[in-house]
Amino acid sequence: MRSAEVAGVSLTEPLLLSAPPGRADPPGPAERVLPLRRPGRWAAAVVVLVLASQAAHGLITNPFYQWDRFAYWFLRPVVLDGLLITLQVTAYSAVLGLAGGVLLALGRLSGNAVLRSVSWTYVWLFRSVPLIVVLIFLYNLSALYPTLSIGVPFGPAFVTFDESRLATDIVVAVVGLGMCEAAYAAEVVRAGVLSVDQGQHEAAAALGIPRWRQFTRIVFPQALRSIVPSYVNQLIGLLKATSLVFYVSLLDLFGAVQSLAATYPGDVVPLLLVATVWYVILTSLVSAVQYHVERHYARGALRAVPPTPLQRARAGLRELRLRFRRETAP
């Protein structure tokens, strides 16, 4: 019995693709591949360069910016003292916020209903209240609680503190910023933990590893790949949010500039430029640290670690040298 045929081709026989009859031409010499021309992209680049050069020219030549006064104020001791306070408040608040965020994230992921409810309520509350309201409320907390004590709950107190002496300006700023930062860090950490594959949790549990060791040695290191970029964005926002501590009588970088501007009203613009440049420098340093931390934790997820900007620049120069030698060779 013969097999079925479709359009004269047997369904039981393999289809053979053959070249058209005739001799094939011998391969010619290697031809140079020309890149596709994109005139629209070059036109857009020219427009962007023209606009950027105009903005830079106006920024440099406009006498209203008073660059001589900017140079005078940039490294003044009062500005550097404010910068040091900004760095201290940012560092302490970041550590406090991250530690609180980890605890809140563990509470939200806990199987205990009380811990989940309290953690969710904390995150909901401090993400809803503006930071300036929290700082002002803590600054006036001594009116509500003149003394703080340690003792038996609902019973006698063993140690009593004077809240007005304990809550200094820098303590109020660090606690207020840290409490608000913990609410946002909790969601960042929770999202990073949930991004870890469930098989990692199951494998660690099958090996009998304790829960805390599972989190610190297996889950959290993998979650850091997702946590670091988001938390560094939070850290940059925290660095800029320190400008609000001026309202609780703490002279940070912005507070020092604001006080100088009130004393020297003719130097308002150069003083604002001083604060702007310092904030840009600090955020750039944080972004550089973020890049290298992300590159470090990417080693377990990528086959090849992406090159650094310096390595890319060296590779580009090397390619330009090779192209120049190739084109100038006889």
Side-chain angles (χ1 to χ4, degrees):
M1 181 177 180
R2 297 182 60 184
S3 59
E5 294 184 356
V6 177
V9 179
S10 174
L11 297 180
T12 59
E13 297 178 357
L15 298 178
L16 299 178
L17 301 178
S18 59
R23 296 184 57 185
D25 296 333
E31 297 181 357
R32 182 180 178 183
V33 178
L34 296 177
L36 181 63
R37 300 186 183 277
R38 302 180 183 273
R41 181 182 298 178
W42 285 104
V46 170
V47 171
V48 170
L49 288 176
V50 170
L51 294 177
S53 61
Q54 286 181 337
H57 180 267
L59 189 65
I60 295 173
T61 60
N62 193 336
F64 187 73
Y65 291 110
Q66 306 178 57
W67 291 107
D68 55 337
R69 301 299 296 169
F70 168 84
Y72 172 79
W73 289 115
F74 189 70
L75 296 176
R76 299 299 295 177
V78 62
V79 175
L80 296 181
D81 291 341
L83 177 64
L84 180 60
I85 293 177
T86 295
L87 293 176
Q88 290 177 344
V89 172
T90 302
Y92 297 152
S93 303
V95 173
L96 180 62
L98 182 59
V102 172
L103 294 178
L104 289 171
L106 292 178
R108 292 207 61 187
L109 296 172
S110 173
N112 189 289
V114 175
L115 294 179
R116 286 201 313 269
S117 301
V118 172
S119 300
W120 181 89
T121 304
Y122 183 97
V123 173
W124 165 75
L125 179 63
F126 280 92
R127 289 202 306 175
S128 303
V129 180
L131 176 59
I132 185 63
V133 175
V134 175
L135 290 174
I136 295 177
F137 186 85
L138 291 177
Y139 187 71
N140 296 279
L141 190 62
S142 59
L144 297 174
Y145 303 99
T147 59
L148 299 176
S149 59
I150 299 176
V152 179
F154 309 104
F158 300 144
V159 182
T160 303
F161 303 95
D162 186 359
E163 199 275 339
S164 60
R165 294 184 179 180
L166 184 63
T168 60
D169 295 340
I170 192 168
V171 171
V172 170
V174 170
V175 172
L177 289 170
M179 292 174 67
C180 292
E181 184 67 17
Y184 294 95
E187 293 300 285
V188 172
V189 174
R190 187 174 70 92
V193 172
L194 293 177
S195 68
V196 179
D197 186 73
Q198 189 64 27
Q200 300 290 320
H201 300 266
E202 296 172 354
L207 292 175
I209 301 176
R211 293 290 299 273
W212 179 251
R213 192 170 180 83
Q214 292 179 27
F215 179 77
T216 57
R217 302 291 295 180
I218 297 175
V219 177
F220 194 65
Q222 298 182 68
L224 282 175
R225 286 197 296 267
S226 300
I227 293 174
V228 167
S230 300
Y231 186 71
V232 172
N233 288 334
Q234 287 296 123
L235 188 59
I236 292 175
L238 175 63
L239 177 62
K240 294 184 292 185
T242 55
S243 60
L244 296 176
V245 302
F246 170 69
Y247 294 97
V248 293
S249 303
L250 189 62
L251 292 180
D252 66 321
L253 175 60
F254 179 75
V257 167
Q258 191 78 358
S259 299
L260 290 172
T263 307
Y264 303 92
D267 291 346
V268 173
V269 173
L271 285 170
L272 290 177
L273 287 175
V274 167
T276 300
V277 172
W278 273 121
Y279 281 121
V280 169
I281 292 173
L282 294 178
T283 54
S284 300
L285 292 176
V286 174
S287 299
V289 173
Q290 172 192 1
Y291 173 80
H292 288 285
V293 173
E294 287 183 4
R295 191 170 181 269
H296 171 76
Y297 283 103
R299 293 182 301 177
L302 302 177
R303 296 182 182 274
V305 179
T308 63
L310 182 59
Q311 291 174 344
R312 286 198 294 265
R314 290 177 178 175
L317 290 176
R318 192 181 306 113
E319 184 179 354
L320 288 176
R321 292 197 196 99
L322 292 176
R323 184 181 301 177
F324 178 77
R325 293 174 183 174
R326 192 184 307 115
E327 293 180 356
T328 57

